[in-house]
C-alpha cells in the first residue's frame, strides 16, 4: 500500500508545476482533481478494512492512514460549501431555487446505488426491511455502502436553503448556517454512533465563508511571497497544534478546517493538470458510492487471502462500475 500511495504522489508531482500565482486554485477543474486524489485515498482506506492478510510494504501507508483519518473527506465538504456559495453570489435567487431539485437529484442517484447494493447483498444471503432500504436512500442507514457523507451533505444543502431563504443578507445567512451546523452536530452526536457523522461538519460552512472573503484574501497575498509564506506557516503551525489536541472535538473540527485551508493555500502556488485525476474527479460520486461493491464480492469469494490480486480486482472493478454509473446517471439527469 505504501508503494501505491507513493505512485499516487508521483502522479501528482509529474502532472503539476509550481507557479507564481495560480488564479484557478479553486476552479472546478482544480477542485475535482484534488477531490480525485482524496477519493483514491478513501478507496485505499476502505480496502484495508476488508483485508485479512496485510499487503507487503504497507507500514508507511498505515501510519499515514492513521494520521489522515477523516481528513480525507475535508476537501469534499470544503469545496462543496465553496461551490454553493460561489453560485449563490453569482446566480442568487435562481441558484437558491435549484437547491431542492439538487437534493432530490442526489437522492435519486444514491437510490440507484443503494438498489445495486441491495441486489448484491440479496445474492450473498443478506436482506433488509423496506424501511431500512428507504432510510438507506437518504444515507441514514447502510446496506453495505458508505452512507454518512450523503446524509450529511443532504442535511447541509437543506440547511443552506433554509438559511438563505430566511436571511437575505449574506452575512446573516452564513452566521445562521454556522449556528445551525453546531446544533446539527449535537443532534448527530446523540443520534448516530461514530464521530465521522459530525467531526468534519464545519468544513462546509468554512468553504462558504472562504468564498465570501476570497477576493480580499487574494488581494492580500497575491504578489507578496512574504505574506503568502507567513500565512502558510501559521496554517501549518495551527494544524500541528490542533492535530496534537484532536481528542477534543473542538480541536478536531479546527484541524479539519485547517487541513482543507492548507490544501487550498498550497494550490495557490501549484498548478495541477492531470488527465487521470480529472477522469477520477468527474466520476467521484460513483467511485465513492460504489467502491465497496467489488470489495464485498471479493471478500465473499476469498480474495483477501491474495491481497495484491484482491487490490487489482477491486481497482478495476470500481473503475468499470464508476464509468457505467456515470453514463447511467447522465441519462437519469436528463429525465429529472
Amino acid at each position: 500500500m505504501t508503494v501505491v500511495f507513493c505512485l499516487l504522489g508521483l502522479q501528482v508531482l509529474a502532472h503539476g508545476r509550481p507557479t507564481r500565482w495560480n488564479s484557478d486554485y479553486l476552479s472546478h477543474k482544480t477542485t475535482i482533481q484534488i477531490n480525485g486524489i482524496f477519493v483514491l485515498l478513501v478507496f485505499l482506506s476502505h480496502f484495508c478494512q476488508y483485508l485479512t492478510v496485510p499487503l507487503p510494504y504497507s507500514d508507511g501507508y498505515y501510519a499515514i492512514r492513521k494520521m489522515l483519518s477523516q481528513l480525507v473527506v475535508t476537501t469534499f465538504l470544503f469545496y462543496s460549501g465553496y461551490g454553493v456559495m460561489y453560485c449563490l453570489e453569482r446566480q442568487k435567487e435562481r441558484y437558491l431555487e435549484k437547491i431542492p431539485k439538487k437534493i432530490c437529484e442526489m437522492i435519486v442517484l444514491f437510490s440507484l446505488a443503494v438498489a445495486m447494493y441491495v441486489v448484491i447483498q440479496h445474492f450473498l444471503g443478506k436482506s433488509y426491511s423496506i424501511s431500512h432500504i428507504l432510510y438507506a436512500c437518504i444515507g441514514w442507514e447502510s446496506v453495505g455502502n458508505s452512507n454518512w457523507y450523503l446524509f450529511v451533505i443532504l442535511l447541509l444543502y437543506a440547511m443552506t436553503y433554509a438559511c438563505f431563504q430566511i436571511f437575505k443578507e449574506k452575512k446573516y445567512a452564513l452566521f445562521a448556517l454556522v449556528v445551525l451546523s453546531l446544533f446539527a452536530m449535537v443532534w448527530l452526536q446523540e443520534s448516530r454512533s461514530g464521530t465521522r457523522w459530525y467531526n468534519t461538519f464545519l468544513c462546509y460552512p468554512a468553504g462558504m465563508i472562504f468564498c465570501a472573503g476570497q477576493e480580499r484574501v487574494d488581494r492580500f497575498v497575491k504578489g507578496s511571497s512574504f505574506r503568502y509564506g507567513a500565512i502558510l506557516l501559521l496554517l501549518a503551525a495551527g494544524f500541528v497544534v490542533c492535530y496534537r489536541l484532536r481528542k477534543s472535538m473542538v480541536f478536531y473540527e479546527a484541524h479539519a478546517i485547517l487541513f482543507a485551508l492548507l490544501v487550498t493555500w498550497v494550490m495557490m502556488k501549484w498548478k495541477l493538470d492531470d488527465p487521470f485525476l480529472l477522469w477520477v474527479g468527474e466520476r467521484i460520486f460513483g467511485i465513492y458510492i460504489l467502491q465497496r461493491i467489488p470489495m464485498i464480492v471479493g471478500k465473499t469469494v476469498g480474495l483477501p487471502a491474495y491481497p495484491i490480486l484482491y487490490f487489482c480486482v477491486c481497482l478495476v472493478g470500481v473503475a468499470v462500475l464508476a464509468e457505467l454509473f456515470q453514463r447511467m446517471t447522465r441519462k437519469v439527469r436528463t429525465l429529472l
Side-chain angles (χ1 to χ4, degrees):
M1 296 299 279
T2 304
V3 173
V4 175
F5 181 82
C6 289
L7 288 174
L8 180 59
L10 290 173
Q11 179 80 13
V12 174
L13 292 173
H15 292 86
R17 67 182 189 278
T19 182
R20 187 176 181 84
W21 179 258
N22 179 17
S23 58
D24 295 328
Y25 72 96
L26 276 170
S27 68
H28 178 69
K29 182 179 179 180
T30 297
T31 56
I32 64 170
Q33 288 182 85
I34 298 299
N35 281 343
I37 295 169
F38 286 108
V39 81
L40 291 174
L41 293 180
V42 171
F43 172 83
L44 295 180
S45 181
H46 287 168
F47 175 75
C48 291
Q49 297 172 6
Y50 293 85
L51 288 176
T52 54
V53 179
L55 277 166
Y57 311 110
S58 296
D59 292 345
Y61 167 72
Y62 283 122
I64 294 169
R65 177 176 179 251
K66 183 179 179 180
M67 184 199 76
L68 288 174
S69 186
Q70 284 292 98
L71 294 179
V72 292
V73 300
T74 55
T75 61
F76 300 168
L77 290 162
F78 187 87
Y79 291 156
S80 291
Y82 176 90
V84 169
M85 192 69 213
Y86 183 90
C87 293
L88 283 171
E89 287 187 333
R90 283 151 183 81
Q91 300 178 25
K92 298 181 180 177
E93 294 295 327
R94 283 187 298 139
Y95 184 77
L96 192 61
E97 292 170 0
K98 293 178 183 177
I99 292 179
K101 181 182 177 181
K102 187 179 180 70
I103 292 172
C104 293
E105 182 181 279
M106 287 188 69
I107 292 173
V108 170
L109 296 181
F110 192 70
S111 297
L112 293 174
V114 166
M116 294 171 67
Y117 275 94
V118 170
V119 170
I120 289 168
Q121 296 284 26
H122 173 75
F123 283 109
L124 297 178
K126 292 184 180 180
S127 60
Y128 301 93
S129 66
I130 297 298
S131 61
H132 187 99
I133 294 171
L134 291 175
Y135 278 128
C137 290
I138 59 169
W140 189 249
E141 296 289 353
S142 171
V143 288
N145 58 299
S146 298
N147 62 311
W148 71 268
Y149 180 82
L150 179 90
F151 181 83
V152 165
I153 202 66
L154 289 175
L155 178 60
L156 284 164
Y157 283 161
M159 288 163 48
T160 302
Y161 179 76
C163 290
F164 279 83
Q165 280 283 20
I166 296 169
F167 301 98
K168 299 306 177 183
E169 285 196 45
K170 179 172 62 178
K171 61 182 179 181
Y172 296 127
L174 286 173
F175 179 77
L177 180 62
V178 171
V179 172
L180 201 56
S181 294
L182 294 173
F183 281 108
M185 287 169 61
V186 173
W187 171 61
L188 288 169
Q189 184 180 24
E190 295 177 350
S191 304
R192 300 278 82 186
S193 62
T195 58
R196 64 187 181 280
W197 287 85
Y198 54 87
N199 62 11
T200 55
F201 204 89
L202 293 180
C203 289
Y204 176 91
M208 297 191 77
I209 293 168
F210 188 90
C211 181
Q214 184 183 6
E215 288 185 7
R216 281 173 288 180
V217 171
D218 288 356
R219 283 198 302 269
F220 184 73
V221 299
K222 187 178 180 181
S224 174
S225 297
F226 175 77
R227 286 196 289 265
Y228 172 84
I231 295 174
L232 180 64
L233 286 174
L234 284 173
L235 289 173
F239 172 76
V240 171
V241 171
C242 292
Y243 176 80
R244 291 181 176 276
L245 299 170
R246 70 191 183 280
K247 289 184 179 179
S248 164
M249 188 49 59
V250 172
F251 287 103
Y252 199 101
E253 286 285 350
H255 105 296
I257 293 170
L258 286 168
F259 181 79
L261 285 172
L262 270 170
V263 173
T264 300
W265 216 258
V266 169
M267 295 312 297
M268 290 178 179
K269 297 283 190 177
W270 185 262
K271 184 81 171 178
L272 187 60
D273 190 9
D274 187 334
F276 170 69
L277 291 177
L278 277 172
W279 185 90
V280 172
E282 289 168 352
R283 291 154 183 80
I284 192 168
F285 188 79
I287 292 172
Y288 183 81
I289 298 302
L290 302 175
Q291 61 184 253
R292 290 186 183 270
I293 288 179
M295 297 176 190
I296 291 169
V297 175
K299 185 176 181 179
T300 303
V301 299
L303 284 182
Y306 312 95
I308 296 176
L309 174 62
Y310 186 30
F311 177 80
C312 294
V313 169
C314 289
L315 190 62
V316 173
V318 74
V320 172
L321 286 172
E323 179 62 31
L324 294 175
F325 192 75
Q326 178 83 347
R327 297 182 184 186
M328 179 175 65
T329 53
R330 282 179 192 153
K331 295 180 180 179
V332 172
R333 283 191 174 101
T334 59
L335 301 174
L336 295 176

